[in-house]
Amino acid sequence: VPVFYFHGGGASLIEGGCFDRDARAAGIRLIAPSRPGALHSTPRPGIKPTDFASDCAQLATHLSIGKFLVTGNSNGGLFTMAVAHELPHRVIGAVPINSTVPMYDPAVWPLVPIGLKAVMLFFRAFPALFVPMNKIAVKTRRDQLFPKAAEPEITQIYLDNLDTVTQESMLPEIGHMNRPWGFDHRAVRCPVRILYGVEDLGTCYGARWASELPDGQFIPIPDGHLPIAPAARRIVISTWLSMIAEEA
């Protein structure tokens, strides 16, 4: 069963390269599509997270794939859940990693740390500042943003991925963060394994979200928002493998 990997907000398919070596070693076929507007993908203004499911279905059919696992980091976690919700007969399981939190939900908002609320409210008001501020942060706070245990070549893949972020690709993603997702995030029927870094601000909702799903489980992983160090990647890969084994 192949694995579809969905990148974070504004980024691109390059992000999937952080897991490529480990996936190959584990015998996993990893497919990492860009969303509309990312890298060389054609923009589709007004696209909703649920609309991306039809793109994935068409891609899977083109590649002669019947069923598949979905996974992704940050905003990619949001799209992981959207695709799993919309394609219940093709998606065998979902593994959102450090997923964007559905803060539009009144039941979730009180659980969110004040720091994450402040960041989201700031970029809701000033979305055009996200890309330049992110580029400054990467240059000035690299040691704080990237796990120290991550191999240089893996960190470089992620840096290359961040270089693809543009205003055109990022602005719609900020909208997805702040608006209702278009589906009930508690009603994904397939098995869902929710992974959050122990230092990631979104972990505040991880365990509760898993408990609200029909077949959910919360799995903590090391570090923060970037699951690219070896220990975090091992848990990600082992989670994919266990879900694929359950399907077999």
Side-chain angles (χ1 to χ4, degrees):
V1 176
V3 173
F4 276 47
Y5 179 89
F6 306 139
H7 57 79
S12 71
L13 55 82
I14 293 173
E15 186 178 312
C18 294
F19 297 94
D20 179 66
R21 181 175 63 193
D22 299 318
R24 289 175 184 269
I28 296 171
R29 183 184 182 188
L30 186 63
I31 300 163
S34 288
R35 291 193 286 280
L39 198 54
H40 304 301
S41 183
T42 304
R44 287 221 317 269
I47 185 175
K48 301 186 295 293
T50 50
D51 295 333
F52 187 57
S54 63
D55 292 356
C56 294
Q58 291 178 45
L59 177 59
T61 299
H62 176 73
L63 297 174
S64 300
I65 295 170
K67 295 186 177 182
F68 50 93
L69 180 77
V70 290
T71 188
N73 191 57
S74 193
N75 255 27
L78 184 169
F79 279 86
T80 293
M81 296 298 277
V83 173
H85 182 273
E86 296 297 298
L87 301 177
H89 301 299
R90 300 193 74 168
V91 172
I92 67 153
V95 185
I97 310 166
N98 297 319
S99 177
T100 299
V101 175
M103 290 196 291
Y104 61 85
D105 186 331
V108 176
W109 181 255
L111 304 174
V112 178
I114 187 66
L116 183 54
K117 288 178 180 176
V119 169
M120 296 299 291
L121 290 172
F122 179 83
F123 287 119
R124 181 188 298 177
F126 307 104
L129 293 180
F130 185 94
V131 172
M133 290 181 69
N134 187 59
K135 291 185 182 296
I136 292 171
V138 170
K139 289 181 179 179
T140 61
R141 300 178 57 235
R142 178 170 168 176
D143 290 342
Q144 296 170 273
L145 294 174
F146 289 87
K148 292 180 174 58
E151 305 94 319
E153 64 272 20
I154 300 297
T155 297
Q156 187 58 55
I157 291 172
Y158 202 88
L159 285 168
D160 293 343
N161 173 59
L162 292 179
D163 283 341
T164 68
V165 177
T166 65
Q167 292 282 33
E168 184 178 49
S169 65
M170 191 65 223
L171 289 178
E173 298 281 336
I174 294 175
H176 299 323
M177 296 177 194
N178 287 291
R179 290 193 298 267
W181 294 352
F183 66 98
D184 184 352
H185 60 276
R186 300 178 179 88
V188 176
R189 311 290 316 171
C190 70
V192 179
R193 304 296 175 256
I194 296 178
L195 278 57
Y196 274 102
V198 293
E199 299 171 17
D200 186 78
L201 292 176
T203 196
C204 61
Y205 182 53
R208 178 164 171 176
W209 191 1
S211 71
E212 294 169 337
L213 290 159
D215 185 0
Q217 180 181 346
F218 173 64
I219 302 173
I221 60 176
D223 304 317
H225 198 61
L226 303 183
I228 61 174
R233 297 200 318 267
R234 280 195 294 272
I235 296 174
V236 170
I237 295 293
S238 67
T239 303
W240 295 350
L241 285 172
S242 66
M243 298 188 82
I244 290 170
E246 289 175 14
E247 173 65 14

